[in-house]
């Protein structure tokens, strides 16, 4: 009974979530699919209610949190997370088929949800994942190396932040304009949007990598460097998790590849900074 009540709670909460997200989607086809799935979730709730004899309300915080994720990270990512939880729900229903005959029908409809959700990935931001990856990769590799080199060469967080910020903003504009010209030369009608997503990904990465140098005192440059490197790994992990969920791509391989490249460049640049500082005899 406890398991049935938990499933019933999940169904009514998912119903409220799908309805709330559907109301904010402009694409008619995507909205209709979500409304259909919401109706099925409500039907599942009513079936289970016959066995539990309990009326349940949606979990307000969970619905609110999912709506917030859909607004910030996109409805595709949020729905994919819900879809992953539905796989677990299907397994639970299969265990109850003997005691709850309708469970078999619910399992079939849950499987249909997965197929429909896989076919509704038409969110604009996911169409420009390539541009976002380009901006993120370039910013991580270029700025991580630059900041690591400047850290040992300048040994002052304020000067490092100033130099890194100027470099990062200039590189952002350069990267965005290059992406625009590249997309334009290929005949893309959305060259401006492509350059926008590239530039935004680059600029956000710049800000997050510079931030440790603004937070630590001027002589704590090594603490800032370590924090920056931790931030690099965190950004890589978060971005690759997002892409892995939204696009059904492998997480571990992509994460390790990006992390190894960025940290290796940082290590090499740190050594370059030491060599240049000694060779030029610069002491700031």
């Amino acid at each position: 009974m406890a398991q049935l009540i938990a499933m019933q709670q999940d169904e009514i909460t998912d119903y409220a979530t799908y309805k709330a997200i559907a109301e904010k989607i402009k694409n008619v086809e995507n909205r209709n699919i979500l409304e259909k799935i919401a109706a099925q979730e409500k039907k599942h709730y009513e079936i289970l209610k016959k066995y539990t004899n309990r009326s349940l309300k949606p979990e307000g915080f969970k619905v609110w949190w999912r709506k917030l994720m859909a607004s910030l990270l996109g409805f595709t990512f949020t729905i994919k997370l819900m879809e992953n939880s539905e796989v677990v729900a299907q397994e639970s229903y299969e265990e109850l088929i003997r005691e709850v005959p309708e469970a078999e029908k619910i399992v079939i409809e849950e499987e249909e949800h997965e197929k429909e959700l896989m076919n509704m990935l038409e969110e604009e931001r996911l169409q420009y994942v390539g541009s976002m990856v380009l901006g993120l990769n370039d910013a991580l590799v270029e700025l991580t190396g630059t900041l690591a080199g400047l850290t040992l060469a300048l040994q002052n967080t304020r000067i490092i932040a100033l130099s890194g910020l100027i470099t990062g903003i200039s590189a952002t504009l350069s990267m965005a304009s290059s992406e625009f010209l590249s997309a334009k030369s290929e005949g893309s009608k959305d060259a401006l949007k492509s350059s926008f997503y590239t530039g935004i990904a680059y600029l956000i990465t710049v800000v997050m990598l510079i931030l440790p140098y603004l937070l630590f005192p001027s002589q704590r440059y090594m603490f800032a460097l370590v924090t920056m490197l931790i931030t690099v790994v965190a950004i890589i992990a978060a971005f690759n998790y997002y892409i892995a969920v939204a696009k059904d791509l492998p997480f571990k391989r992509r994460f390790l590849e990006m992390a190894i490249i960025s940290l290796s460049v940082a290590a090499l640049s740190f050594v370059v900074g030491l060599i240049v500082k000694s060779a030029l005899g610069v002491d700031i």
Side-chain angles (χ1 to χ4, degrees), residues 112-151:
E112 290 178 357
H113 290 185
E114 182 177 350
K115 292 178 182 179
E116 288 178 325
L117 289 170
M118 291 292 288
N119 293 329
M120 65 174 288
L121 301 182
E122 298 178 1
E123 193 170 12
E124 180 181 278
R125 72 185 70 188
L126 291 179
Q127 296 175 10
Y128 296 97
V129 164
S131 298
M132 294 168 65
V133 170
L134 178 64
L136 184 75
N137 279 344
D138 197 72
L140 285 172
V141 173
E142 180 177 347
L143 202 62
T144 299
T146 299
L147 291 174
L150 290 174
T151 297

Side-chain angles (χ1 to χ4, degrees), residues 222-250:
M222 290 304 296
F223 288 92
L225 174 62
V226 172
T227 304
M228 185 270 289
L229 294 177
I230 293 174
T231 302
V232 167
V233 175
I235 291 173
I236 294 172
F239 183 77
N240 278 283
Y241 176 73
Y242 177 84
I243 298 300
V245 172
K247 301 284 286 184
D248 291 325
L249 296 174

Side-chain angles (χ1 to χ4, degrees), residues 54-201:
R54 293 186 59 174
S55 296
L56 302 175
K57 294 182 179 181
E59 296 176 274
F61 177 77
K62 184 178 286 187
V63 175
W64 173 83
W65 177 249
R66 288 171 172 176
K67 286 170 59 180
L68 179 62
M69 283 200 304
S71 299
L72 298 177
L73 302 176
F75 69 87
T76 302
F77 176 80
T78 305
I79 291 171
K80 282 286 187 176
L81 283 180
M82 293 175 63
E83 176 191 328
N84 292 339
S85 68
E86 285 192 355
V87 172
V88 178
Q90 291 173 25
E91 296 173 355
S92 300
Y93 279 130
E94 289 170 356
E95 295 173 0
L96 294 173
I97 288 177
R98 292 184 180 180
E99 298 182 28
V100 182
E102 289 93 339
E104 184 173 7
K105 183 178 180 181
I106 293 176
V107 170
I108 294 174
E109 290 184 348
E110 293 290 356
E111 291 174 349
E112 290 178 357
H113 290 185
E114 182 177 350
K115 292 178 182 179
E116 288 178 325
L117 289 170
M118 291 292 288
N119 293 329
M120 65 174 288
L121 301 182
E122 298 178 1
E123 193 170 12
E124 180 181 278
R125 72 185 70 188
L126 291 179
Q127 296 175 10
Y128 296 97
V129 164
S131 298
M132 294 168 65
V133 170
L134 178 64
L136 184 75
N137 279 344
D138 197 72
L140 285 172
V141 173
E142 180 177 347
L143 202 62
T144 299
T146 299
L147 291 174
L150 290 174
T151 297
L152 195 59
L154 302 179
Q155 298 183 2
N156 184 301
T157 58
R158 295 297 178 269
I159 301 177
I160 296 167
L162 175 63
S163 303
L165 197 57
I166 293 173
T167 301
I169 293 175
S170 300
T172 298
L173 298 174
S174 174
M175 193 70 189
S177 59
S178 296
E179 175 64 13
F180 174 78
L181 293 174
S182 175
K184 197 74 173 177
S185 65
E186 294 175 358
S188 174
K189 297 180 180 179
D190 297 320
L192 187 60
K193 284 186 178 181
S194 181
S195 65
F196 172 79
Y197 279 100
T198 300
I200 287 297

Side-chain angles (χ1 to χ4, degrees), residues 233-281:
V233 175
I235 291 173
I236 294 172
F239 183 77
N240 278 283
Y241 176 73
Y242 177 84
I243 298 300
V245 172
K247 301 284 286 184
D248 291 325
L249 296 174
F251 168 77
K252 186 176 180 180
R253 182 180 63 81
R254 293 169 61 88
F255 166 73
L256 290 175
E257 186 178 76
M258 288 183 66
I260 290 172
I261 291 174
S262 296
L263 296 180
S264 297
V265 169
L268 290 173
S269 299
F270 192 83
V271 174
V272 170
L274 176 62
I275 294 173
V276 172
K277 180 179 173 67
S278 300
L280 298 179

